Amino acid sequence: MASPAKRAQRVDAEVDADYNTDVSKLDTSVLWRITAMAFRHRARMAVAIVATLCAGGFQLLVPQYLGQAVDQARGLLAGATSGSVDSAAAEAALLTTALLLLAAAIARGVFTMMQNYQGEAVGQLIGYHLRLDYYRKLQSLSMSWHDRVHTGDLMTRGILDIEGVRLWVDTGVLRSILLTVLIGGGAVVLFHNDSDLALVALSFVPIVAVRASIARLKLRDTWIALQDQMSILTKVMEENLGGIRVVRAFAAQAHEMIRYDRISDTALAIASRRVRLFVLSTTQMTFVYFLAMGLTLWVGGAKVIDGTITLGQLTEALAFMLILQMPVRQIGWMINSIARASTCGGRLFNVLDLIPSIADAPDAKPLAVTEGVVRFEGVSFRYPSHAKDERTLSDISFEARPGHMIGIVGPPGAGKTTIAQLIGRYYDVSAGRITIDGQDIREVTLRSLRDAVSIVQQEPFLFTASIDHNVAYGDPWAGRPNIERSAQMAQLHNYVKALPQAYQTLVGERGVSLSGGQRQRLSIARALLPEAKVLVFDDSTAAVDAATERRIREALKGFVADRAVIVIAHRLSSLMHADEILFVEGGRIVERGSHDALMTVPDGRYRQLYDLQARGGEAKTDREGTA
Amino acid sequence: MSTETTSPAPHPSEQQERPPLAVVGSQIDQDEELFGRAFDPWVVKRFLTYLAPYKTRIALGVAAVLTFTVTQLTIPLIVRAAIDHALVEGATDIDLLHWFIGVFAGVVTLNYAANHLMETTVSKTAQNLLFDLRRAMYAHLQVVSLSFMDKTEVGRLMSRLQGDVYALQEFLESSIFAIGDIVLLFGIVAVMLSLNPALGGLTLSVVPLLLLVRIIWLPLARKAFMAAREASSSVNGALAENVHGIRAIQELGREDVNFKLFESKARTNLLTHLTASKFTNVMIPIVDTLTGSAMAIVIVLGGSMVLDQSLDIGVMVAFLFYVQRFFDPIRSLTLQYSIMQRAMAAGQRIFEVTDVDVEVRDAPDAEDPAEIDGAIEFRGVTFGYEPGKPVLQDISFKVAPGETVALVGPTGSGKTSTTALVHRFYDVWQGEVIVGGRDVRAVTQHSLGRHIAMVLQEPFLFSATIEENIRYATAGASHEQVVAAATAVGAHDFITRLPKGYATELDQRGSNLSLGQRQLLSFARALVADARILVLDEATASVDSYTELEIQRALARLLEGRTALVIAHRLATIRGADRIIVLQDGRIVEEGSHDALIAANGLYARLYRMNYASFDDIPPEELERALSDGGQRT
């Protein structure tokens, strides 16, 4: 992976769709960046760190007091047998130790609480800001980038990767501080008592740490493999259920089960490997820990017998081991968290650092719409992902203005939709220029351009919301009369009125399912509402039947009179009334003129298409009797 | 919209009057988050039947759990014994110490072995159980009646197959440790009480306090946790919308409005998580205080008992060890409670799926004829999906071998139901459906699948290579057969133009192909299956005229030499059929060739004259007129 300085600030149009694959290596710059984000919340981080230090300190006091208590009891025992001890004073001493222990335990608890809470709060704050930044960035990145990336991948980044980064503060930063305090402080105390015993008691720490980190990394690999396999399984199940009629029609249940079992068995094998790895590492760690305890007892016992240390000191060493058991196991977690934060952060920053290729120029001014004249002047275009010589559009020139409607027709893949996309500046032209009322669209603000241009899409996206929300998507402050007027023009109003909940009916993923034609009509209503000066219909009536389309056209007559209209369609009846029809093929305009003029071209491409459609019964609907 | 808008609110003046008509993200499913009982005997019983195959492994696991617990409890006892017997002041004994160390090493090794065995068996059984459950559900969904599948959204089934299985996984994985914890807990209590009942009892007196705190805490905390979960899924839903609808969002300039709405969702998410975190963390000092109190009790009371010589000092040390071990399991067990609730709810939903009735089954003596003659006959068929609401009434017709019959009629007239009955997707209420001379209920469903090829309206493709899609269930088809079929339907050219030809991987549902290309592939798939009978539901979606021409050619090739029942939408297809059956409200109203029906001047003639490319396109009001005006309008 490149260093952050080199990686940062790449333009979205120039990155590969799978540019994120190599973030598996540990990248310390990513970790620093996250840590720096954490320290932006200075007060909280300060509290968290102080609390961590205190929690560690008090946790260390507990075994000391335990040892002290044992020694006191032992001393009392010895004193009682010899009859030289004031038993009241002895009990008072015990009570003092007990109270100190209790106080240490409470203090430890309170500080741990503060540490955990503040750690999580900082993590959540980082998550909150990252989430907003990410959302904003996705909104601003250009369509050429969105076309290439997988939506599932973007969701993973927005959910799991933010989570991975967020956890870094708590499981990474604070926990490593706590662990350092515990092991370091414990070691000081133990070495102060007896260095041999300390060495023995701490012997398990490095072994467990190394073992845990190796295991974690291996586990992570199997985890990724398992996730991959499970997502394949999900895909297979989803398709099977979605296409259940195909499965039944071909009596393919056996075939489908074989397919399922093959993937499921592989997944199970990986899952079992994961279990083996996991179990082996955790049980081995416990074993090593207990062996160290045995050694401590052995060495310490011998020393007690020698009289080098007291029994209380031995108890203290043992109690200390007990306290360290959990944190040492967590070393594995920490290493996991480091790897995870580095990977997740890398993937996230890859997106956050992108610069949108389509953005306002530094001196961009709002578009000043006067008449609404759209001009293509020698426009050529090549998709950034395509080869150098593979031009989608070559030398396209035309002018659409109020009263001069443009129709664009041609075989699939001719570049018709691309023309629509260029008008809204979803891509930038490779050569030539596009102007609206004389202003190059690259020199005006995107916001003002897109306000001035309404594109009715081929495949409209419905939001899971009510119909009025969907119609008013481009202008959420629109009044009810405006919404209904748009729906009326799009021939949607009668249908909506007949629904039990009318305009409040939920549509989209979880709402009522609309037919293709109804979706397109909703999309038309949505595009009409903002009353843009330039209207582009991008094959937006393909699924609407011819008669309804005719009614839409009639309803729109007054509305479009003072607007520039461009209609792209493959059904000739949708555009044969245009003032100028462009027949586009292979990215070039091969014929242009009015319907009547084009019909006179012998063997013309337009004429051929017309004949084709007349035979199929498509073209005649608009000109009954003439076809 | 005006030209100088740069602020997020297009109409600032109206903004005060009412909030914008806007939301981001979608509502979350309420019923998926229901919390019920933490223990449901019926669900548990059902689980146990799935555990039956793993009996020996489970027995081994139980033995391991017991061994593990005993050794775990013994370890502090050995430490205590070593201190009491070998390290007593004035009577130290190094040999005895060595002996204890030896025992300690033995017990620790045994502990390791038992621990390993326990975790392996439990985890593996849990994994197997999950995979078995998922497979059982999936396999069952392959045979349940289509009427169930029709009613149930794929998303909902997927959440059973994934979400619910994951909820169980969470439960099973955590229960591995929970089982050990519970046994350990009881073991510790037993050992403490047996070592010294009085001190043990006093030490354990803090436990009821802890439980009390937990009981008060749990419902409050659960509310906070649920709020946090809901906020999370709401934020993620809004993000998903931003990802999937980005084109519409940029197109309609909704960036700023959406961002504001998203910001408030993200803020709610932040705040609910902070609240949930408070609930989690407030328990830490409480548990620590109680642990500290228990230790203080041991020190003060135990100490004075040592003073009285009524307690060995080793026992006191052992007690201190046990107290430290004691509170961990309690802490994790209370967390276990909500996981158990989720698991029970998940189990219930899983078994709901595996218990769905299979309505259409092969008869015990069902035949599997190798060859059939290709005739189709309906005899007085009445059928519907809901009791009392028949969609087909007393339908009778015959299709001779090799004949092409077109079914036409307005939406809802029963065309799709008729074709579905040929394949026995559903069972008729009355009458008989006879395919190749046999009642469909007298042959296996598999044989129906072999002799009847179906082309559905939506050309559904799988994410696999083009070749695999064309071959699909006809496992024996060679590459040559696949190519031949693709060539016959005119798909060969575009396939070979793709970078990897027949080996090209299709994206989800073939989205990297055009609709027309997908249709051609689904024709090729039916051609490879090479069945005597073809049932075809013609696509209604409009494709461009060039593709349309190719599809008509491919269709002609597909129909060649087969018996065909076609739900026809395109006039070209209808006119090409040998015979046309006109359905209306579940009854046959007319039957005959195109010319005969036009001459009869009935419903068909009226619909035909309306000049719609497809009868399904006719708007309701015009259809109403055609159905009612009995032919006055000519």
Side-chain angles (χ1 to χ4, degrees):
Chain A
M1 200 74 235
S3 76
K6 267 183 275 170
R7 186 183 57 218
Q9 311 287 298
R10 290 194 292 181
V11 176
D12 61 359
E14 288 160 12
V15 292
D16 297 332
D18 54 353
Y19 61 97
N20 57 306
T21 42
D22 189 32
V23 284
S24 51
K25 287 193 205 93
L26 204 68
D27 190 340
T28 44
S29 65
V30 170
L31 296 179
W32 278 118
R33 190 162 162 187
I34 304 171
T35 312
M37 289 170 93
F39 278 98
R40 246 175 260 162
H41 306 278
R42 267 193 215 106
R44 283 180 189 274
M45 277 307 275
V47 173
I49 289 173
V50 171
T52 308
L53 293 173
C54 294
F58 281 110
Q59 191 157 357
L60 283 173
L61 281 181
V62 174
Q64 286 195 49
Y65 288 134
L66 282 181
Q68 201 175 319
V70 171
D71 272 354
Q72 279 172 349
R74 176 164 296 261
L76 290 173
L77 193 60
T81 40
S82 64
S84 65
V85 171
D86 177 0
S87 69
E91 289 198 3
L94 267 182
L95 189 63
T96 312
T97 308
L99 286 179
L100 281 174
L101 182 85
L102 181 59
I106 294 174
R108 187 200 86 96
V110 170
F111 283 116
T112 308
M113 174 183 74
M114 284 165 67
Q115 170 214 331
N116 279 359
Y117 178 72
Q118 293 300 346
E120 194 167 337
V122 171
Q124 289 287 357
L125 279 164
I126 291 179
Y128 169 76
H129 288 296
L130 278 176
R131 206 165 265 133
L132 292 185
D133 289 349
Y134 186 66
Y135 190 89
R136 213 14 156 193
K137 184 58 83 172
L138 289 187
Q139 284 187 333
S140 68
L141 287 171
S142 64
M143 283 317 297
S144 63
W145 183 79
H146 277 287
D147 288 344
R148 277 173 297 139
V149 292
H150 202 276
T151 51
D153 179 51
L154 293 184
M155 286 308 291
T156 310
R157 285 174 210 238
I159 299 173
L160 296 180
D161 289 347
I162 287 183
E163 193 71 5
V165 169
R166 179 177 79 68
L167 289 174
W168 165 246
V169 179
D170 195 21
T171 56
V173 179
L174 294 180
R175 213 155 287 243
S176 59
I177 294 176
L178 182 66
L179 212 61
T180 314
V181 170
L182 285 182
I183 296 178
V188 169
V189 174
L190 283 179
F191 276 101
H192 183 72
N193 274 344
D194 186 286
S195 55
D196 294 342
L197 198 59
L199 278 179
V200 174
L202 290 173
S203 62
F204 76 105
V205 173
I207 299 174
V208 168
V210 170
R211 185 75 189 83
S213 51
I214 294 172
R216 279 288 157 183
L217 293 177
K218 275 194 202 161
L219 277 171
R220 197 171 142 261
D221 291 345
T222 54
W223 178 244
I224 292 169
L226 184 61
Q227 288 302 80
D228 284 351
Q229 204 62 28
M230 290 311 293
S231 69
I232 297 176
L233 191 65
T234 302
K235 199 170 68 183
V236 164
M237 293 193 294
E238 212 161 36
E239 285 189 352
N240 173 285
L241 298 176
I244 193 79
R245 279 175 180 269
V246 177
V247 175
R248 300 293 173 92
F250 285 87
Q253 286 96 328
H255 171 81
E256 289 287 314
M257 283 316 291
I258 291 170
R259 200 160 116 105
Y260 174 88
D261 281 341
R262 206 178 55 225
I263 299 159
S264 173
D265 290 348
T266 315
L268 182 59
I270 300 173
S272 302
R273 194 162 75 226
R274 208 174 105 75
V275 166
R276 265 202 308 282
L277 273 172
F278 181 73
V279 169
L280 201 65
S281 76
T282 55
T283 51
Q284 276 182 358
M285 281 190 265
T286 314
F287 185 50
V288 168
Y289 167 76
F290 277 134
L291 285 183
M293 187 182 263
L295 270 179
T296 310
L297 188 63
W298 188 0
V299 174
K303 280 179 180 276
V304 171
I305 293 172
D306 287 355
T308 337
I309 59 169
T310 64
L311 188 56
Q313 281 174 310
L314 175 59
T315 313
E316 192 180 320
L318 291 172
F320 179 73
M321 287 187 71
L322 213 56
I323 281 184
L324 267 195
Q325 189 182 8
M326 273 316 278
V328 167
R329 270 199 190 191
Q330 284 171 347
I331 291 179
W333 278 72
M334 260 180 51
I335 286 161
N336 198 29
S337 154
I338 293 172
R340 191 171 165 200
S342 155
T343 312
C344 294
R347 285 161 48 88
L348 204 58
F349 295 144
N350 266 344
V351 173
L352 290 177
D353 292 343
L354 288 174
I355 306 168
S357 54
I358 306 286
D360 287 349
D363 53 348
K365 286 188 254 325
L367 175 70
V369 182
T370 48
E371 286 166 84
V373 180
V374 179
R375 273 178 68 89
F376 271 56
E377 297 172 12
V379 167
S380 294
F381 177 70
R382 176 180 69 82
Y383 279 96
S385 53
H386 288 190
K388 280 263 180 282
D389 52 344
E390 214 183 310
R391 282 207 290 195
T392 306
L393 291 177
S394 307
D395 197 23
I396 302 283
S397 297
F398 65 84
E399 183 180 295
R401 55 182 184 272
H404 187 78
M405 174 181 158
I406 295 287
I408 300 176
V409 70
K416 298 176 304 238
T417 292
T418 307
I419 294 178
Q421 296 303 312
L422 290 180
I423 300 173
R425 204 184 160 210
Y426 293 98
Y427 307 92
D428 272 338
V429 298
S430 314
R433 63 178 203 143
I434 301 168
T435 62
I436 292 178
D437 286 336
Q439 302 148 77
D440 191 317
I441 58 170
R442 284 168 296 188
E443 286 160 14
V444 301
T445 63
L446 267 180
R447 183 62 205 266
S448 66
L449 171 69
R450 289 178 186 170
D451 280 350
V453 178
S454 256
I455 303 180
V456 192
Q457 305 282 0
Q458 229 167 50
E459 282 168 30
F461 182 86
L462 293 192
F463 295 89
T464 303
S466 59
I467 292 178
D468 54 359
H469 275 67
N470 266 289
V471 172
Y473 203 80
D475 182 5
W477 283 275
R480 171 50 62 98
N482 287 349
I483 293 174
E484 291 195 6
R485 190 171 69 105
S486 300
Q488 256 155 1
M489 285 192 285
Q491 304 299 313
L492 187 70
H493 180 71
N494 288 345
Y495 167 75
V496 175
K497 269 285 169 225
L499 293 169
Q501 287 173 284
Y503 280 90
Q504 265 75 54
T505 310
L506 196 66
V507 293
E509 227 178 300
R510 298 213 189 84
V512 300
S513 57
L514 301 180
S515 74
Q518 285 159 348
R519 292 163 68 93
Q520 288 195 330
R521 273 139 68 192
L522 199 157
S523 165
I524 293 171
R526 183 195 276 171
L528 295 178
L529 187 72
E531 307 200 341
K533 208 63 175 147
V534 178
L535 283 174
V536 182
F537 294 88
D538 181 10
D539 214 355
S540 50
T541 50
V544 177
D545 65 85
T548 307
E549 189 192 0
R550 192 167 56 225
R551 284 204 300 272
I552 294 174
R553 207 155 48 234
E554 274 155 19
L556 280 179
K557 250 177 202 153
F559 185 81
V560 301
D562 59 345
R563 287 162 221 278
V565 180
I566 296 168
V567 177
I568 297 166
H570 62 248
R571 184 154 63 191
L572 289 185
S573 60
S574 311
L575 49 70
M576 51 175 51
H577 57 284
D579 299 287
E580 186 180 5
I581 297 169
L582 315 177
F583 194 99
V584 179
E585 193 162 17
R588 292 177 183 279
I589 300 174
V590 294
E591 286 175 30
R592 68 197 301 165
S594 68
H595 170 77
D596 293 327
L598 288 175
M599 286 301 284
T600 60
V601 180
D603 286 330
R605 297 291 288 140
Y606 182 83
R607 174 82 205 237
Q608 285 171 1
L609 181 64
Y610 181 83
D611 290 344
L612 202 61
Q613 295 197 358
R615 215 183 328 146
E618 276 190 60
K620 61 181 173 181
T621 44
D622 203 38
R623 304 197 159 198
E624 273 157 287
T626 60
Chain B
M1 220 173 270
S2 58
T3 50
E4 70 289 307
T5 42
T6 44
S7 74
H11 302 305
S13 58
E14 283 178 44
Q15 209 178 351
Q16 280 83 39
E17 290 165 34
R18 65 174 176 83
L21 205 55
V23 289
V24 287
S26 47
Q27 293 73 9
I28 25 171
D29 263 336
Q30 293 298 329
D31 64 321
E32 299 290 329
E33 280 296 333
L34 278 184
F35 281 81
R37 281 187 284 181
F39 185 82
D40 186 334
W42 180 79
V43 172
V44 172
K45 227 169 97 189
R46 294 295 300 270
F47 277 137
L48 292 181
T49 59
Y50 280 91
L51 283 175
Y54 307 105
K55 260 186 227 140
T56 37
R57 209 197 274 172
I58 291 170
L60 212 60
V62 169
V65 169
L66 292 177
T67 315
F68 172 72
T69 312
V70 170
T71 50
Q72 194 84 351
L73 286 171
T74 317
I75 291 167
L77 288 179
I78 297 172
V79 175
R80 172 228 149 178
I83 290 173
D84 272 356
H85 299 289
L87 302 177
V88 184
E89 216 154 328
T92 52
D93 185 340
I94 189 87
D95 293 329
L96 198 57
L97 178 68
H98 287 159
W99 188 84
F100 276 121
I101 299 293
V103 173
F104 185 90
V107 171
V108 162
T109 311
L110 188 60
N111 174 271
Y112 170 55
N115 190 7
H116 193 273
L117 186 64
M118 170 182 92
E119 293 202 6
T120 309
T121 49
V122 180
S123 313
K124 279 207 163 172
T125 313
Q127 287 292 356
N128 279 319
L129 178 67
L130 292 175
F131 276 81
D132 290 351
L133 276 172
R134 191 188 291 119
R135 190 182 190 281
M137 263 197 287
Y138 185 74
H140 192 69
L141 289 174
Q142 301 304 309
V143 294
V144 294
S145 315
L146 272 184
S147 46
F148 170 79
M149 300 300 288
D150 293 343
K151 284 186 301 222
T152 318
E153 281 170 53
V154 172
R156 218 155 264 271
L157 290 176
M158 286 309 292
S159 88
R160 303 272 187 282
L161 286 163
Q162 288 185 295
D164 289 335
V165 173
Y166 277 129
L168 280 184
Q169 178 163 19
E170 188 188 21
F171 166 66
L172 289 172
E173 278 184 358
S174 59
S175 63
I176 295 165
F177 301 102
I179 292 172
D181 280 348
I182 294 172
V183 178
L184 192 64
L185 202 60
F186 282 108
I188 290 177
V189 171
V191 171
M192 280 187 14
L193 288 176
S194 68
L195 277 178
N196 189 310
L199 190 58
L202 281 167
T203 312
L204 291 174
S205 66
V206 300
V207 174
L209 259 175
L210 181 61
L211 288 180
L212 188 71
V213 171
R214 277 278 161 169
I215 288 169
I216 298 167
W217 173 86
L218 197 63
L220 300 172
R222 202 182 319 145
K223 208 182 280 174
F225 293 158
M226 275 175 69
R229 272 172 80 113
E230 258 169 51
S232 271
S233 62
S234 163
V235 157
N236 293 338
L239 179 66
E241 185 190 85
N242 192 38
V243 168
H244 293 285
I246 184 67
R247 190 173 278 273
I249 289 163
Q250 290 195 351
E251 158 63 34
L252 294 158
R254 264 287 284 266
E255 288 97 334
D256 296 330
V257 173
N258 283 3
F259 185 72
K260 275 196 170 166
L261 294 167
F262 181 75
E263 195 176 14
S264 82
K265 284 200 176 204
R267 181 161 289 278
T268 311
N269 180 51
L270 173 68
L271 295 177
T272 51
H273 273 91
L274 289 184
T275 310
S277 169
K278 277 181 196 152
F279 273 103
T280 313
N281 287 311
V282 77
M283 279 309 285
I284 295 175
I286 294 175
V287 172
D288 276 356
T289 305
L290 291 175
T291 317
S293 310
M295 284 190 186
I297 291 174
V298 173
I299 291 173
V300 173
L301 298 178
S304 56
M305 283 160 103
V306 169
L307 202 61
D308 295 349
Q309 304 209 340
S310 58
L311 187 75
D312 281 348
I313 190 151
V315 175
M316 180 176 150
V317 175
F319 255 87
L320 289 173
F321 274 84
Y322 283 132
V323 167
Q324 291 219 356
R325 286 287 291 134
F326 187 71
F327 284 90
D328 285 343
I330 291 190
R331 212 184 312 201
S332 59
L333 277 178
T334 37
L335 284 179
Q336 190 75 7
Y337 183 79
S338 57
I339 295 179
M340 266 179 84
Q341 278 185 315
R342 263 207 297 283
M344 289 298 150
Q348 213 155 28
R349 287 195 294 260
I350 287 173
F351 295 126
E352 247 169 51
V353 172
T354 58
D355 288 351
V356 171
D357 245 6
V358 179
E359 287 163 25
V360 178
R361 280 178 195 279
D362 284 350
D365 55 346
E367 286 179 81
D368 192 356
E371 283 295 322
I372 62 163
D373 71 356
I376 303 172
E377 187 180 353
F378 274 55
R379 281 189 201 151
V381 170
T382 299
F383 166 73
Y385 302 95
E386 287 168 55
K389 284 190 192 160
V391 294
L392 294 179
Q393 298 189 45
D394 196 22
I395 298 276
S396 298
F397 66 87
K398 275 187 197 176
V399 185
E403 195 184 17
T404 297
V405 169
L407 289 174
V408 301
T411 308
S413 55
K415 294 166 299 191
T416 307
S417 304
T418 308
T419 55
L421 291 179
V422 176
H423 203 292
R424 202 187 165 205
F425 281 166
Y426 312 95
D427 273 339
V428 297
W429 290 359
Q430 270 169 42
E432 286 170 282
V433 176
I434 292 160
V435 170
R438 293 178 178 82
D439 190 309
V440 290
R441 285 166 294 191
V443 297
T444 62
Q445 295 176 71
H446 186 254
S447 83
L448 286 173
R450 223 174 44 230
H451 297 302
I452 304 169
M454 286 188 106
V455 177
L456 304 172
Q457 202 176 73
E458 289 281 319
F460 192 97
L461 299 176
F462 296 89
S463 8
T465 64
I466 288 186
E467 174 151 0
E468 283 162 343
N469 264 291
I470 295 178
R471 179 177 295 128
Y472 191 47
T474 319
S478 65
H479 177 69
E480 284 68 35
Q481 277 170 287
V482 168
V483 174
T487 311
V489 299
H492 182 72
D493 283 350
F494 88 77
I495 295 172
T496 46
R497 270 202 304 274
L498 293 170
K500 287 189 185 162
Y502 283 86
T504 306
E505 286 281 341
L506 295 187
D507 289 352
Q508 204 175 358
R509 302 198 176 175
S511 59
N512 47 349
L513 297 180
S514 75
L515 182 62
Q517 289 170 332
R518 294 207 292 271
Q519 238 154 31
L520 293 183
L521 287 190
S522 79
F523 284 1
R525 180 168 64 189
L527 205 57
V528 166
D530 195 28
R532 290 287 298 130
I533 298 171
L534 181 75
V535 173
L536 188 141
D537 193 348
E538 199 173 26
T540 49
S542 168
V543 290
D544 65 274
S545 313
Y546 302 93
T547 314
E548 174 67 35
L549 204 63
E550 284 171 30
I551 289 175
Q552 287 296 336
R553 267 191 219 127
L555 188 58
R557 178 67 186 75
L558 190 59
L559 295 174
E560 243 171 53
R562 281 172 232 278
T563 310
L565 192 60
V566 181
I567 300 179
H569 300 290
R570 308 199 187 284
L571 294 177
T573 314
I574 297 172
R575 277 184 303 214
D578 298 318
R579 207 146 45 87
I580 297 160
I581 292 176
V582 185
L583 286 170
Q584 186 194 335
D585 295 333
R587 295 177 193 277
I588 296 180
V589 290
E590 281 178 298
E591 200 176 335
S593 68
H594 173 73
D595 294 337
L597 290 177
I598 290 292
N601 203 17
L603 178 65
Y604 177 80
R606 288 197 302 281
L607 293 176
Y608 181 75
R609 271 188 232 107
M610 285 185 179
N611 264 330
Y612 284 91
S614 154
F615 288 173
D616 294 72
D617 279 349
I618 301 175
E621 57 272 19
E622 289 194 35
L623 184 67
E624 203 57 42
R625 213 168 58 223
L627 295 176
S628 60
D629 75 359
Q632 294 117 11
R633 179 183 168 270
T634 50

